[in-house]
Amino acid sequence: MMESVLLLRRPLLPAAAAAILCAAMPAFAAEISGAGATFPYPIYAKRAEAYKAKTGTSLNYQSIGSGGGIKQIGAKTVDFGASDMPLTPDKLQADDLQQFPMVMGGVVPVVNLAGIKPGELKLDGKLLAGMYLGTITNWNDKAIAELNPGLKLPDKAIATVHRSDGSGTNFIFTHYLSSIDPDFKSKIGENTSVEFPGGIGGKGNEGVAALAGRTDGAIGYVEYAYALQNKMTYAQLKNREGNFVSPNSSTFQAAAANADWSKAPGFYLVLTDQPGKDSWPITGATFILMHKKQDKPDTAREALSFFDWAYHNGGQMAEQLDYVPMPAAVVAAAEDSWKTIVGADGKPVWTGKGS
Amino acid sequence: MAAEVETVAISSATQTRRPAGQAGDTVFRALTVFFAVLVLVILGGVIFSLVYGAWPALQKFGFGFVINGAWNPVTENFGALAPIYGTLVTSFIAMLIGIPVAFGVALFITELCPKWLRRPLGTMIELLAAIPSIIYGIWGLFVLAPFIQQYVQPALIGTLGKLPVVGVLFAGPPLGIGVLTAGFILSIMVLPFIASVMRDVFETVPPMLKESAYGLGCTTSEVVWRVVLPYTRVGVVGGILLGLGRALGETMAVTFVIGNSHHLNLSILQPGTTISAALANEFTEAVGDLYQSSLIALGFILFIITFAVLAAAKLMLLRLQKATG
């Protein structure tokens, strides 16, 4: 009861008093607030719980969607925003934001065809683009048969299932198809929500999973974790080197490891169609956004300490939930970029471990 | 604040057990006026904030917004035609199925049903209204849609789909999900509203009227068409419009089964979208001011549609009342 009264009153206190309060007892009073992407919510929640048990610092993360996260950090109502779609370096510059990748996942094509087991069907980007453009409409299409000589594919209409809500999954998927097929790029394009010429729309990963699972002859795309947990029939994809790969954490890792992060200002990099013989072609990272100039340096330090802890201790938790932790080189680069996050005095708020 | 003071005044008045005098009356009157005005203020506020939020989209697209069939967040070209079409067509299908069934149900309960079955049957119909719409949605997705995909749609495509003009309405592969399925779910959802209103008004027909008709040698169907229906016209129309209002605004169940595709498609077997489904799907992740504003403009259009339906209903009822005297 006392606690809730205190919590209610806290926002009313002048900022200065709150800052003093935080400085006086950092371990007790610190609360980090964040908002944004729904895709990484389970892993953020799990890490936050473990972090609170260890340090007493609690994290309040609202999974309101990437668009909402970008808006909220712009309005400074949260300490950090989270987005599945990286902001362009220009946009980061304009809003004075720092961006860094937190965790990765992959998008997986799933199908519903009687008699076909997970991993049996082989597809490539051109075929996927054709299906979603509506130029390949039947499962007995010659182009599909060419990639799958041993499979007996039925004479059945292809029902494409897509995300009806705006989402990072949409962005990663359409980004991949746009980079493979110029036709897709000009007719549909890449965005968190796009206009597909046909097909069924489902809300959220769970909506697409349900629709694809219920509709005979359907193809859809979901986050890897959903495909795995719902035991869906995923398809193999042909990557840039021409190999067919199955979606799993090692092929996602391969994509991230082969990507050249050093040439991406603001970590603006979408991990689709990356080189490497084992790279899964539709991989993406989810990003954290923070203001470079911090009005509340103490809270920002707490947030960065949490991210630092998550980078170094949260890897196993990520794997348990079928996410992919960032490779060590990327973590080092991300932590290096935190130098640009400064307080009112112009000094970096985070100065390495133990601060 | 004012309301608080007034409540205090009322309670002190009752505590001292003074006879309700003029002061109490004045306070009570002021209170009711305040509440009545409050409703108008809220309504005005809703309209204002809708127009305010929709303004950037309305300014950019003008009237073309209503007749533009595109909805492309990449190029920021938004139009409301597909959701408006979907809203009207699903509601039309719901009414097409719902009204005759509700009429039959109400008629059976009031005129033909054995006495002992009347109450349980009526209660059960009303219970349909108590099922949350999300349950209808889940049921529609997991039970109704596969059934429609396997049996209903192939039959429709094979028969009606082969006809020359109407064939367009039943074209395409059987997906299970689509405008027809959404309309079907809606018809079940509006059924209890229409049926219970119809039952209530059928019961208001004076027994003397019916008995006189029977006495003249009328059959049951003649009594229904010549006596019961003319007597209850106003109430029946009211019940239908109540159901229509629900069908137009229903969100969750429709979102589950309509397929949420902004692609304008004449075929009722193909996925479509409605205004409320589009709002539910896209509002949270609408990046960009024009996108959000276009969604609010959709909401404004839905407001206008339901408002028009209610206004038309009122007008119709007034006319009917005048005609019958």
Side-chain angles (χ1 to χ4, degrees):
Chain A
M1 189 63 208
M2 269 310 280
E3 221 173 59
S4 67
V5 169
L6 278 175
L7 278 177
L8 278 174
R9 288 183 55 177
R10 271 218 20 214
L12 295 175
L13 288 172
I20 293 165
L21 208 71
C22 289
M25 30 182 191
F28 173 67
E31 185 175 333
I32 317 162
S33 66
T38 48
F39 154 63
Y41 172 69
I43 179 64
Y44 290 172
K46 191 170 176 133
R47 283 176 174 174
E49 200 184 330
Y51 191 65
K52 181 164 187 179
K54 191 169 162 280
T55 63
T57 304
S58 60
L59 169 73
N60 172 18
Y61 184 76
Q62 311 157 25
S63 65
I64 53 173
S66 299
I70 295 169
K71 265 181 221 150
Q72 298 261 331
I73 188 69
K76 293 195 180 181
T77 50
V78 288
D79 301 323
F80 70 89
S83 171
D84 290 338
M85 180 166 85
L87 296 185
T88 59
D90 291 345
K91 176 97 171 117
L92 290 173
Q93 189 83 42
D95 292 353
D96 204 28
L97 289 169
Q98 180 63 41
Q99 171 173 268
F100 48 91
M102 200 62 218
V103 66
M104 292 184 298
V107 177
V108 176
V110 291
V111 296
N112 181 354
L113 283 171
I116 300 224
K117 293 191 197 65
E120 275 189 349
L121 186 70
K122 291 176 176 166
L123 296 171
D124 63 13
K126 265 265 182 279
L127 278 177
L128 274 179
M131 289 174 184
Y132 277 92
L133 276 169
T135 53
I136 299 173
T137 54
N138 198 303
W139 283 108
N140 66 7
D141 196 286
K142 259 203 282 211
I144 308 176
E146 266 169 36
L147 290 184
N148 300 281
L151 278 187
K152 226 180 112 58
L153 290 158
D155 171 17
K156 191 163 268 170
I158 298 175
T160 57
V161 183
H162 56 83
R163 286 284 291 268
S164 59
D165 50 336
S167 84
T169 312
N170 257 350
F171 171 72
I172 296 168
F173 188 69
T174 54
H175 184 276
Y176 170 61
L177 295 184
S178 293
S179 63
I180 293 283
D181 189 347
D183 219 23
F184 190 91
K185 193 181 176 91
S186 63
K187 285 194 181 131
I188 297 178
E190 54 186 74
N191 201 350
T192 49
S193 52
V194 296
E195 185 184 26
F196 285 108
I200 315 168
K203 186 168 165 56
N205 276 304
E206 62 280 11
V208 172
L211 285 171
R214 284 284 132 189
T215 311
D216 210 10
I219 182 160
Y221 54 93
V222 292
E223 290 290 350
Y224 174 60
Y226 276 90
L228 208 65
Q229 284 152 16
N230 293 320
K231 299 192 174 53
M232 303 190 76
T233 309
Y234 60 85
Q236 290 189 38
L237 272 182
K238 192 169 164 179
N239 65 17
R240 197 171 180 154
E241 318 269 300
N243 290 335
F244 283 98
V245 284
S246 286
N248 55 52
S249 53
S250 65
T251 54
F252 300 157
Q253 285 265 17
N258 289 317
D260 190 358
W261 292 89
S262 62
K263 289 208 186 84
F267 296 94
Y268 182 77
L269 190 59
V270 186
L271 300 172
T272 58
D273 202 27
Q274 291 298 324
K277 68 177 172 54
D278 295 324
S279 295
W280 177 253
I282 327 179
T283 310
T286 181
F287 295 84
I288 299 288
L289 295 164
M290 285 180 81
H291 281 283
K292 282 186 181 165
K293 276 225 172 51
Q294 288 290 337
D295 305 332
K296 296 184 289 179
D298 292 303
T299 324
R301 184 177 305 121
E302 289 295 340
L304 290 174
S305 301
F306 167 70
F307 294 137
D308 172 61
W309 177 86
Y311 272 145
H312 295 287
N313 302 294
Q316 205 186 354
M317 276 179 259
E319 273 162 11
Q320 279 168 6
L321 292 173
D322 306 314
Y323 295 88
V324 184
M326 302 305 299
V330 182
V331 168
E335 296 203 331
D336 191 50
S337 77
W338 293 351
K339 278 188 205 140
T340 56
I341 300 174
V342 296
D345 54 359
K347 286 189 184 140
V349 296
W350 193 80
T351 49
K353 268 188 191 168
S355 65
Chain B
M1 206 56 207
E4 255 173 52
V5 173
E6 280 151 9
T7 14
V8 170
I10 289 170
S11 61
S12 68
T14 44
Q15 266 166 10
T16 49
R17 288 181 180 279
R18 265 191 309 204
Q22 222 153 12
D25 273 358
T26 318
V27 168
F28 187 71
R29 198 185 139 87
L31 203 63
T32 51
V33 168
F34 172 71
F35 288 146
V37 171
L38 192 67
V39 171
L40 288 182
V41 169
I42 291 174
L43 185 70
V46 168
I47 295 175
F48 173 77
S49 52
L50 276 176
V51 173
Y52 182 79
W55 192 246
L58 296 176
Q59 209 172 23
K60 172 105 198 269
F61 302 116
F63 184 72
F65 186 70
V66 183
I67 49 168
N68 181 1
W71 187 268
N72 194 333
V74 184
T75 56
E76 298 218 309
N77 177 17
F78 299 105
L81 190 59
I84 292 176
Y85 177 77
T87 305
L88 296 179
V89 170
T90 49
S91 297
F92 180 74
I93 296 172
M95 291 296 120
L96 204 64
I97 305 172
I99 294 173
V101 176
F103 180 69
V105 167
L107 209 60
F108 179 75
I109 291 178
T110 52
E111 305 293 328
L112 309 164
C113 179
K115 263 227 164 79
W116 58 269
L117 192 59
R118 240 176 234 196
R119 192 170 277 274
L121 202 61
T123 314
M124 247 165 334
I125 298 286
E126 274 162 15
L127 271 181
L128 274 182
I131 300 175
S133 60
I134 189 136
I135 306 288
Y136 278 109
I138 294 170
W139 178 79
L141 179 62
F142 287 102
V143 182
L144 185 67
F147 175 80
I148 286 188
Q149 182 183 20
Q150 257 179 353
Y151 302 104
V152 181
Q153 288 186 334
L156 285 175
I157 293 167
T159 53
L160 291 172
K162 297 246 188 299
L163 296 177
V165 181
V166 287
V168 186
L169 290 175
F170 303 96
L175 299 173
I177 302 290
V179 174
L180 177 71
T181 314
F184 204 83
I185 286 275
L186 280 178
S187 73
I188 304 172
M189 295 179 76
V190 299
L191 178 68
F193 290 89
I194 306 180
S196 58
V197 172
M198 280 188 180
R199 186 196 58 182
D200 289 348
V201 294
F202 286 171
E203 274 171 354
T204 62
V205 179
M208 212 189 354
L209 280 183
K210 282 192 276 182
E211 276 158 24
S212 317
Y214 282 121
L216 288 170
C218 287
T219 60
T220 311
S221 74
E222 277 170 338
V223 171
V224 169
W225 290 111
R226 303 265 167 86
V227 178
V228 176
L229 261 185
Y231 189 85
T232 56
R233 259 194 307 215
V234 175
V236 168
V237 171
I240 290 172
L241 287 163
L242 188 70
L244 182 58
R246 164 137 206 204
L248 286 170
E250 175 52 42
T251 307
M252 218 52 233
V254 172
T255 307
F256 266 77
V257 295
I258 196 163
N260 303 309
S261 165
H262 273 286
H263 187 65
L264 191 64
N265 208 327
L266 280 182
S267 169
I268 59 166
L269 305 186
Q270 296 306 303
T273 190
T274 67
I275 293 175
S276 44
L279 286 176
N281 270 307
E282 294 170 41
F283 215 90
T284 46
E285 295 262 3
V287 191
D289 295 336
L290 197 59
Y291 193 177
Q292 196 166 22
S293 171
S294 299
L295 285 171
I296 297 173
L298 275 186
F300 183 57
I301 290 172
L302 181 63
F303 190 88
I304 294 175
I305 292 176
T306 42
F307 201 81
V309 166
L310 275 177
K314 279 272 175 227
L315 271 178
M316 209 148 114
L317 292 181
L318 277 177
R319 271 201 170 159
L320 278 171
Q321 270 165 340
K322 257 194 201 146
T324 50

